[in-house]
Amino acid sequence: MSQILAIESSCDETSVAVIENGSLIKSNIVASQIKSHMRFGGVVPEVASRHHVEQITQVIDKALVGAGLTSVDDVDAIAVTQGPGLVGALLVGLTAAKTLAFVHDKPLIPVNHLAGHIYASQLIQPLKFPLLALIASGGHTELVYMPEDGVFEVIGETQDDAVGEAYDKIGRMLDLPYPAGKHMDQLAQEGSESYQIPRAMLHEDNLDFSFSGMKSAVMNLIHNARQRGETVVPKDLATSFQNAVVEVLVEKTVRALKEYGGDVAGESAGSDRGSGVLPVRQFVLAGGVAANSGLREGLTSRLAADFPELEVLIPPLSLCGDNAAMIGAASHHLYKEKKFSDLMINAKPGLML
């Protein structure tokens, strides 16, 4: 049995968790900074870093108490997000983790934040490999093929804005409070699709995405309507944009599953990528935008129809956003393989899978 203390501070949540055997949450404390950044309409890196400094010690203490532990001496290792993320925010978590590892003589495990989002589903159900993951968040939109534990192959990614970034920018155009993505999703449930939003890169022969043009189309639509003295209906615009985004994400996911050997209804399973690639056994939705109701519903219904034998994992809302539990889950195989770091480790804000 292993117990890992995990620290996540890549953006605007200070989080510490204790995870047992990579799958059991003993505690998962998240201190959100939403109210502090709301007045700015987005995350201010300097403000985020200062909040991490103020909160990190208290959050560590609460995580230990919540797990029924008396000291860091009771855990087997310290895991921490190395990147990607805001460099100042990452450094706060890394400094805390390195200090704890040094003082208590514990192994230090650096973790990729994006890997953490994928492994969040391991806290609900065991991962089965090979798997395909769609990471949809404020900073990333990627399709990732995992042939085995800890091995990542990015097979598709956004060429410009991430999907969550596009949501937030459009939300600001509509004067929605930060974080705008949640409010856009709520509006989208109330409106109808009455505006034409382009489906960028939908028909291109690749697995990549583009959301900048979709965002610009909405911006031009709002600007032109205001010039003509017309009223834009926010809920209808939110529905139109969300339907376009969900369609692109779902269609690209389906295409990836077909290419990597998903079991299409009425067809025999088998990968189009050649004999060296095994067909996927699971699909995982990951990242902050995994909380979007339209995306959850769209993927669930389409994959159930096209891939009835495929196991689909979508984490609960509590594990979609940034949290330390996912970092602890992702660190488990690294702990087993003794992939530890020395205390010279530094933040890597542009770290890729």
Side-chain angles (χ1 to χ4, degrees), residues 160-172:
D160 38 62
D161 286 356
V163 61
E165 180 183 2
Y167 263 98
D168 284 337
K169 288 178 178 178
I170 291 173
R172 284 198 291 271

Side-chain angles (χ1 to χ4, degrees), residues 143-164:
L143 282 164
V144 182
Y145 174 71
M146 292 183 65
E148 59 187 84
D149 206 359
V151 178
F152 308 92
E153 179 187 347
V154 178
I155 60 174
E157 59 189 331
T158 182
Q159 300 301 297
D160 38 62
D161 286 356
V163 61

Side-chain angles (χ1 to χ4, degrees), residues 98-324:
K98 290 194 288 186
T99 302
L100 292 175
F102 175 74
V103 171
H104 297 274
D105 192 25
K106 299 294 180 181
L108 180 64
I109 308 172
V111 176
N112 187 302
H113 178 81
L114 299 179
H117 275 304
I118 295 174
Y119 277 89
S121 287
Q122 183 172 275
L123 298 164
I124 307 303
Q125 203 165 324
L127 298 184
K128 298 176 183 177
F129 304 96
L131 65 75
L132 180 79
L134 170 63
I135 302 174
S137 69
H140 300 272
T141 307
E142 298 178 357
L143 282 164
V144 182
Y145 174 71
M146 292 183 65
E148 59 187 84
D149 206 359
V151 178
F152 308 92
E153 179 187 347
V154 178
I155 60 174
E157 59 189 331
T158 182
Q159 300 301 297
D160 38 62
D161 286 356
V163 61
E165 180 183 2
Y167 263 98
D168 284 337
K169 288 178 178 178
I170 291 173
R172 284 198 291 271
M173 296 177 203
L174 296 175
D175 296 321
L176 297 177
Y178 170 83
K182 178 177 70 174
H183 300 285
M184 283 277 289
D185 184 25
Q186 292 171 347
L187 275 180
Q189 309 311 308
E190 304 170 5
S192 60
E193 187 173 354
S194 56
Y195 298 100
Q196 294 296 316
I197 308 298
R199 272 66 167 163
M201 297 186 74
L202 180 60
H203 301 294
E204 293 194 16
D205 188 22
N206 57 48
L207 298 174
D208 292 330
F209 308 92
S210 173
F211 297 102
S212 179
M214 298 169 74
K215 172 204 67 184
S216 296
V218 174
M219 180 174 64
N220 290 335
L221 190 155
I222 294 173
H223 178 70
N224 292 336
R226 288 173 178 170
Q227 281 192 322
R228 293 191 296 265
E230 299 173 355
T231 301
V232 172
V233 182
K235 63 181 181 181
D236 290 348
L237 185 57
T239 303
S240 302
F241 176 74
Q242 179 148 301
N243 287 354
V245 167
V246 170
E247 182 179 349
V248 171
L249 290 172
V250 170
E251 290 300 326
K252 291 281 185 169
T253 298
V254 168
R255 187 181 305 173
L257 285 168
K258 289 178 179 179
E259 289 190 21
Y260 281 77
D263 58 309
V264 182
E267 301 179 16
S268 60
S271 173
D272 292 337
R273 309 296 294 191
S275 59
V277 176
L278 295 174
V280 298
R281 301 173 62 195
Q282 274 184 341
F283 169 76
V284 174
L285 179 60
V289 183
N292 182 278
S293 62
L295 181 58
R296 295 168 79 94
E297 293 166 8
L299 278 170
T300 299
S301 60
R302 180 64 183 278
L303 297 188
D306 285 14
F307 308 92
E309 301 301 319
L310 182 68
E311 191 171 21
V312 177
L313 301 186
I314 300 179
L317 298 183
S318 61
L319 294 176
C320 290
D322 294 348
N323 65 90

Side-chain angles (χ1 to χ4, degrees), residues 4-7 72 75-80 97 100-101 106-110:
I4 296 177
L5 178 75
I7 298 174
V72 176
V75 303
D76 299 294
I78 310 295
V80 62
L100 292 175
K106 299 294 180 181
L108 180 64
I109 308 172

